[in-house]
Amino acid sequence: MNYYKWLLLFICCVCLACGQPRDQSSELTVYTSRHYAADDSLYAEFQRETGTTIRVVKNKDDTLINRLLTEGAQADADVLITADAARLHRAKNLGLLQPIKSKKLDQLVGESLRDPEHHWYALTLRARIIVHRKDFDTGALRNYLHLSDPQWRGSILVRKSNHVYNQSLVASMIAHYGKARVKTWLQGLVANFARNPSGNDRSQVLALSKGEGDFAIVNSYYLGKMMAATKDKEQNWQEQNEAFSRVKVMFPDQGLDAHGTHVNITGAGVCNGADNVEDSIRFIEYLVSDRAQQVFAATNFEYPIRSDIEVASVLKSWGDFKRNLSGIRDAGIHSKQALMLMQEAGWH
Amino acid sequence: MALRYFRASVCSIVALSRLLPTLSICSLLVIPHLIIVVQLFGPRSSDWLHIVEYLLPAYVLNTCEIVAGVLPISFFLGYVSAWCIGTFDFPGRKILKRALMLPISVPTYVAAYAYYGMFGSAVVGKWGIIIIFSVVLYPYIYLFCLAGFSRESRTLIETARSLGSRTFDVFRRVQFPMSRPALISGLWLVCMDTVNDYGAVDFFGINTITTGVFVVRENFDISESGRFCAWLLILMLLIRGVEDWTRGKRSFSDGHNYVARRRIRMGTVSSVVAVFALLVPIGAGFIIPAISCLTWMVQFSEVADWKHAFEITLRTVLLAASASVLVVWFGLYLSWSCRVRRDTLLHLLVRVCQTGYVVPGVVIGISVMTMLLALDRVIVPIFSYFSIFSSSTFLYGTYFALIFAYCVRFVAMSITACDAAFLRLGMLVHEAARSLGKSPLQVLFMVEIPSIRPTLLIVFGLLFVELVKELPLTMLLAPPDFGTLATLTHMHMKNEDIIVPAIYSSIIMSIGIGSSFLLWTRTGPEADNVSEYRQNK
């Protein structure tokens, strides 16, 4: 009869869509919010070298963390890679990560770049820099606080407040200057916005080069990517190249007594309840190895976490700078408060 | 005496047991709505006060501004094109009549992506989003009004003519007021799709109620997002209620004489003008997005991962197809139960089930999530006690959760269509078959389903297209490694990756166009009234 056909079709669909059961013992499941081709090539290389199959689950950071949270110890994830210390801190506090022992990691990853209780380790560094057009006179602007000066009315370009990069920046400022001062700073900053925050970091630079504002607050690696944009990867590559050539980088908070430019990280940790802890540690060790760090630095324009690895030439041309490494841990502690302060100031 | 009571009680138990499947399906579909409303009465945290004070006003204002901008523009585009097609005759009319519906197959986020790719940051902003929504969503108004124009009463118009009214006067004083119900239905759909959109507004960085739900969900507690959604649900129901109430019981037809009207033949010059004018909405809503996605796809075809694209397409198609079959079945069964049983409670429950389509997808997503997490808290301990299953979640984050959410949201579409089809079929067929000794279910399968098959196919096709491009629900409930064409397009769009969105958007659009084409060729003229099935009465 007719309805049997439909029922059969439905059952077939369900079976096919659910996919085949996986053999979990010989594989490593990596939850990552990094979405770069460079990473994929590294995973493939690790797979070739060790014979461990890697299953990559790419999604938004919060989706991954929420998923781990609801699944608890039974989640199928082994390694969590996510952007920003605030998220790693959150994952740790929620009990999603487990402490790991690895001499190699402790030796290669600096103390300020890892969790004191060994729950997570940084993989790469990015600086949250201020960018302006080459011909623009920045006056006395030397640090983030100066951005709220009324003389810069209508000149600041930045993405939305619910992005973790901004939350961490503000969180580290709360740790440094206190809540009250950051609150007034945010009000001044929002009053200086050139437009309603929209788009990602790259669109801020594009808008800057078109004169829609005078300063953009962006992550360093995006500039490298804009420089390296080519025809076969991006359709507005010319626009990006051009915008890159028109702008100049400024590292804020660089004076002798200043605390350094805000940096954020991407980091990795082993999930609580991972089936394959040994391989997971080996995998993270691989990600801080010479080879992987070189790939991160050269193709993704991130700062390596190790001082003995060479940075990409474009980053080198911007010069060395003082990094606010203590801000990495502060970011986690104050991130929710930072978001609420930003929203109160009208930064959405 | 005792025997009589015994018999009566047995009868009522039998009657109840017959109702049981229907009632359980209904309650399953209604529970998420109830759960979300219950959230309103929970304790208020300081986070909630923060949300109400600093976030809600901005989000609501933005949403209202966008809706207020989209409605008049899409009304203008849809209404004028329907009026042209319905009233005049000119070369190319037949092709244009179909082509004007094409923008429906372009999801809003794909259009936003295409326009951003073409014009850069110039289109980013509220006006950009208003224009994009208008050119993509006007076909709803067009379809409803076209159906209205081509079936409008000849008597009324000819009376108006004979009383000395000219073409424009007839339009202003007769045709326009008569098309009000169709117009309202179309505007309502446009309004719902605008509020429901997540991909495009998120891509442009505009905070609406829908993106607000995600912000609250990601940065605060799930109960806060639940409460947020409850207000949204109440708001949408209120708007809908006001519309129903103002329409009241006024009649908008003279009840007979729905003869296709003779169209007015246009002169050469006006024909050319009309054709070019009608090409504007088609170009903006379909040709520009489709051509740009296709060009980028061709441009990047060498570096693209076609194997992966094929896997994702297969997975999306299977998910959408299986969910559509299930939704059609649920809708058919519920509609049919209401047809054969005159039970007030049942009718009421089925009505409540239909609210799913009135509220935005995120609301359903959050409520289904809340419900499944609560159920998991009960089920999992029991299961692990008997060591049947040992995971902390059993329902949440599975393929099942996603399909269930699709059912809650889309079953209204199926119920409405089946109701209409059963109404056309009439009860006589059913009673005749019953009197020949068949049971109600036998009648359903042997007589009723074959007779309303075209309707079921159309609903299936529409649901399928809708589910292929569905974004907010899928984003909230799909397992993290279960990317569909829509969610992957959105994810890569946000990362300003060009290759993947170009390919996946082209696939989504081709699936949309392909299915609509199949529907038209397979089911004939009935498919012309497709958008009526989306109307939630």
Side-chain angles (χ1 to χ4, degrees):
Chain A
M1 242 192 281
N2 207 0
Y3 70 102
Y4 281 127
K5 261 195 299 195
W6 285 93
L7 210 63
L8 212 65
L9 175 73
F10 173 67
I11 293 168
C12 290
C13 287
V14 172
C15 294
L16 278 168
C18 285
Q20 311 82 12
R22 287 185 302 269
D23 173 24
Q24 295 207 338
S25 56
S26 66
E27 72 170 19
L28 205 60
T29 306
V30 178
Y31 275 28
T32 176
S33 64
R34 287 175 59 98
H35 44 80
Y36 316 114
D39 292 31
D40 295 333
S41 68
L42 285 176
Y43 301 152
E45 213 165 284
F46 179 77
Q47 205 162 311
R48 268 201 307 278
E49 280 174 21
T50 61
T52 313
T53 323
I54 293 189
R55 187 168 76 94
V56 185
V57 176
K58 285 185 198 173
N59 214 316
K60 280 165 66 179
D61 312 75
D62 292 305
T63 313
L64 294 175
I65 291 178
N66 283 332
R67 170 79 176 177
L68 285 174
L69 185 62
T70 46
E71 287 200 341
Q74 301 300 329
D76 60 348
D78 294 297
V79 177
L80 173 71
I81 302 178
T82 173
D84 211 276
R87 293 229 176 76
L88 290 163
H89 184 85
R90 185 169 161 233
K92 178 194 165 191
N93 279 355
L94 292 169
L96 304 180
L97 301 176
Q98 56 172 300
I100 51 175
K101 273 189 199 145
S102 161
K103 272 194 193 142
K104 197 172 171 189
L105 283 176
D106 289 347
Q107 182 200 333
L108 289 174
V109 184
E111 204 166 330
S112 49
L113 293 172
R114 60 177 197 238
D115 178 53
E117 282 137 18
H118 308 277
H119 281 78
W120 51 260
Y121 292 83
L123 301 176
T124 59
L125 272 178
R126 302 95 176 263
R128 197 119 185 101
I129 49 178
I130 298 176
V131 179
H132 58 90
R133 279 188 308 280
K134 276 181 178 158
D135 54 358
F136 184 75
D137 177 20
T138 55
L141 190 115
R142 293 288 174 272
N143 58 33
Y144 298 111
L145 278 185
H146 291 156
L147 288 171
S148 69
D149 193 313
Q151 82 174 99
W152 306 124
R153 193 102 327 153
S155 66
I156 292 169
L157 295 156
V158 67
R159 73 196 296 173
K160 286 161 73 164
S161 63
N162 67 333
H163 200 279
V164 75
Y165 297 158
N166 287 334
Q167 283 174 33
S168 291
L169 171 65
V170 175
S172 76
M173 292 188 72
I174 292 175
H176 204 260
Y177 299 111
K179 194 179 157 184
R181 196 158 169 209
V182 171
K183 194 171 177 174
T184 39
W185 173 70
L186 278 170
Q187 278 156 357
L189 184 79
V190 171
N192 286 350
F193 280 174
R195 58 177 191 187
N196 274 333
S198 66
N200 61 8
D201 280 5
R202 273 188 227 214
S203 18
Q204 313 308 324
V205 180
L206 290 174
L208 180 75
S209 81
K210 285 188 201 124
E212 281 182 47
D214 302 319
F215 301 107
I217 307 174
V218 296
N219 263 5
S220 50
Y221 74 105
Y222 281 110
L223 278 178
K225 295 196 139 195
M226 293 181 78
M227 178 202 74
T230 49
K231 197 179 171 188
D232 58 335
K233 288 203 188 102
E234 272 135 311
Q235 124 269 347
N236 64 343
W237 59 285
Q238 281 162 317
E239 207 186 331
Q240 293 198 29
N241 294 165
E242 206 175 298
F244 172 81
S245 65
R246 279 195 207 152
V247 300
K248 208 175 157 192
V249 165
M250 173 200 278
F251 290 104
D253 292 294
Q254 290 299 308
L256 274 177
D257 49 347
H259 55 283
T261 300
H262 172 72
V263 285
N264 51 44
I265 56 164
T266 58
V270 177
C271 297
N272 214 348
D275 299 323
N276 203 342
V277 177
E278 236 169 75
D279 277 342
S280 306
I281 296 176
R282 214 144 45 106
F283 178 64
I284 299 178
E285 284 172 352
Y286 174 75
L287 292 179
V288 299
S289 69
D290 294 2
R291 166 75 186 139
Q293 288 288 309
Q294 277 157 2
V295 170
F296 286 144
T299 57
N300 216 31
F301 304 99
E302 294 174 281
Y303 288 98
I305 48 149
R306 291 166 46 187
S307 48
D308 56 333
I309 303 285
E310 196 159 343
V311 298
S313 57
V314 55
L315 302 192
K316 218 189 256 171
S317 72
W318 298 338
D320 205 9
F321 65 102
K322 194 192 237 179
R323 301 161 184 193
N324 176 16
L325 291 175
S326 67
I328 292 175
R329 275 183 212 162
D330 297 334
I333 302 163
H334 298 289
S335 84
K336 188 167 175 187
Q337 197 174 35
L339 175 71
M340 288 170 105
L341 279 184
M342 288 193 278
Q343 288 172 340
E344 280 170 32
W347 182 352
H348 287 292
Chain B
M1 192 71 179
L3 190 70
R4 228 163 83 196
Y5 274 121
F6 177 71
R7 233 186 237 162
S9 55
V10 167
C11 279
S12 61
I13 288 170
V14 168
L16 202 67
S17 69
R18 278 200 187 141
L19 266 179
L20 211 60
T22 323
L23 285 181
S24 44
I25 293 177
C26 269
S27 20
L28 205 61
L29 296 178
V30 169
I31 287 171
H33 301 303
L34 295 181
I35 283 183
I36 207 86
V37 173
V38 167
Q39 298 271 321
L40 276 181
F41 304 103
R44 269 131 218 253
S45 59
S46 60
D47 284 355
W48 176 245
L49 294 178
H50 171 87
I51 293 167
V52 171
E53 191 172 351
Y54 297 108
L55 306 184
L56 209 55
Y59 294 168
V60 171
L61 188 70
N62 279 340
T63 310
C64 293
E65 277 175 20
I66 293 173
V67 170
V70 171
L71 287 184
I73 301 177
S74 56
F75 160 71
F76 176 77
L77 292 175
Y79 196 84
V80 170
S81 42
W83 183 66
C84 273
I85 296 285
T87 317
F88 300 104
D89 216 349
F90 48 87
R93 181 187 160 276
K94 272 190 180 159
I95 300 171
L96 284 174
K97 184 182 169 189
R98 289 253 190 273
L100 276 163
M101 300 175 196
L102 282 174
I104 276 193
S105 58
V106 182
T108 42
Y109 49 86
V110 170
Y113 155 76
Y115 274 90
Y116 177 72
M118 286 195 74
F119 301 107
S121 48
V123 290
V124 175
K126 256 177 227 158
W127 274 108
I129 214 86
I130 287 174
I131 301 286
I132 289 170
F133 280 170
S134 306
V135 295
V136 174
L137 297 177
Y138 81 85
Y140 290 132
I141 295 169
Y142 165 76
L143 281 169
F144 274 107
C145 293
L146 188 64
F149 280 133
S150 35
R151 280 184 306 183
E152 72 197 350
S153 161
R154 186 151 79 180
T155 331
L156 270 177
I157 290 173
E158 275 161 13
T159 313
R161 280 267 169 72
S162 65
L163 289 172
S165 293
R166 302 166 61 158
T167 311
F168 185 72
D169 275 344
V170 174
F171 169 74
R172 189 171 60 87
R173 296 169 69 171
V174 182
Q175 285 175 288
F176 184 73
M178 289 284 291
S179 58
R180 180 171 173 258
L183 198 58
I184 297 280
S185 310
L187 286 172
W188 171 247
L189 281 181
V190 172
C191 171
M192 275 198 313
D193 269 23
T194 309
V195 176
N196 187 40
D197 175 81
Y198 171 69
V201 285
D202 187 50
F203 182 52
F204 280 6
I206 299 168
N207 299 296
T208 63
I209 302 177
T210 311
T211 59
V213 174
F214 276 86
V215 169
V216 173
R217 159 95 187 109
E218 279 161 17
N219 297 294
F220 300 96
D221 197 30
I222 185 167
S223 62
E224 255 80 54
S225 49
R227 192 169 301 147
F228 198 103
C229 288
W231 283 111
L232 192 50
L233 180 112
I234 290 172
L235 181 77
M236 293 304 278
L237 287 179
L238 266 180
I239 299 176
R240 182 71 203 177
V242 167
E243 203 285 301
D244 279 348
W245 180 64
T246 52
R247 194 192 311 198
K249 286 205 157 59
R250 271 183 285 173
S251 162
F252 285 92
S253 72
D254 63 352
H256 53 84
N257 221 341
Y258 280 120
V259 186
R261 199 154 55 88
R262 243 176 292 131
R263 285 184 291 271
I264 302 165
R265 185 164 284 282
M266 268 185 166
T268 323
V269 182
S270 13
S271 297
V272 173
V273 173
V275 169
F276 275 99
L278 290 176
L279 277 176
V280 172
I282 303 172
F286 178 73
I287 298 174
I288 291 180
I291 297 282
S292 34
C293 285
L294 277 176
T295 357
W296 295 325
M297 185 172 90
V298 173
Q299 187 183 340
F300 299 120
S301 59
E302 279 169 29
V303 278
D305 185 352
W306 286 103
K307 190 170 161 267
H308 193 233
F310 178 74
E311 275 168 25
I312 299 291
T313 309
L314 188 69
R315 181 195 282 179
T316 310
V317 165
L318 288 175
L319 172 73
S322 53
S324 309
V325 172
L326 201 65
V327 175
V328 170
W329 264 116
F330 276 162
L332 173 69
Y333 190 71
L334 292 184
S335 169
W336 178 78
S337 303
C338 283
R339 171 180 160 89
V340 292
R341 296 201 178 85
R342 314 234 167 272
D343 187 299
T344 326
L345 175 72
L346 184 73
H347 280 251
L348 190 74
L349 271 175
V350 173
R351 287 286 289 181
V352 179
C353 282
Q354 283 175 279
T355 49
Y357 205 69
V358 178
V359 289
V362 270
V363 176
I364 307 281
I366 294 284
S367 48
V368 167
M369 194 186 273
T370 315
M371 172 184 161
L372 294 182
L373 283 175
L375 272 178
D376 273 344
R377 274 199 288 278
V378 180
I379 294 175
V380 173
I382 300 173
F383 275 23
S384 52
Y385 178 78
F386 293 107
S387 52
I388 300 171
F389 191 81
S390 62
S391 165
S392 62
T393 56
F394 176 67
L395 299 168
Y396 173 67
T398 56
Y399 183 76
F400 162 79
L402 193 56
I403 291 199
F404 174 60
Y406 286 156
C407 289
V408 175
R409 172 140 165 78
F410 292 104
V411 77
M413 231 166 116
S414 168
I415 295 178
T416 313
C418 293
D419 277 351
F422 279 137
L423 202 68
R424 279 197 297 269
L425 188 64
M427 269 316 262
L428 275 177
V429 186
H430 182 85
E431 277 152 13
R434 285 299 304 277
S435 66
L436 290 172
K438 300 287 177 194
S439 76
L441 268 178
Q442 277 175 320
V443 177
L444 173 67
F445 284 115
M446 296 171 70
V447 180
E448 288 168 321
I449 289 182
S451 340
I452 63 166
R453 230 184 104 202
T455 304
L456 295 180
L457 275 176
I458 292 171
V459 180
F460 173 80
L462 288 177
L463 277 166
F464 177 72
V465 174
E466 196 81 3
L467 291 182
V468 165
K469 60 183 190 184
E470 210 289 332
L471 186 62
L473 262 187
T474 320
M475 281 201 50
L476 275 171
L477 288 166
D481 52 344
F482 190 88
T484 63
L485 288 174
T487 58
L488 289 175
T489 303
H490 177 254
M491 211 167 89
H492 286 92
M493 249 164 73
K494 277 200 83 174
N495 297 332
E496 304 234 336
D497 176 355
I498 296 294
I499 309 170
V500 174
I503 295 169
Y504 290 5
S505 316
S506 311
I507 299 174
I508 295 177
M509 282 191 279
S510 347
I511 291 177
I513 297 165
S515 333
S516 322
F517 183 74
L518 271 181
L519 274 184
W520 281 331
T521 51
R522 276 300 185 80
T523 54
E526 192 158 354
D528 278 353
N529 310 327
V530 283
S531 62
E532 276 176 39
Y533 294 132
R534 288 200 49 182
Q535 186 181 16
N536 182 21
K537 289 200 185 105

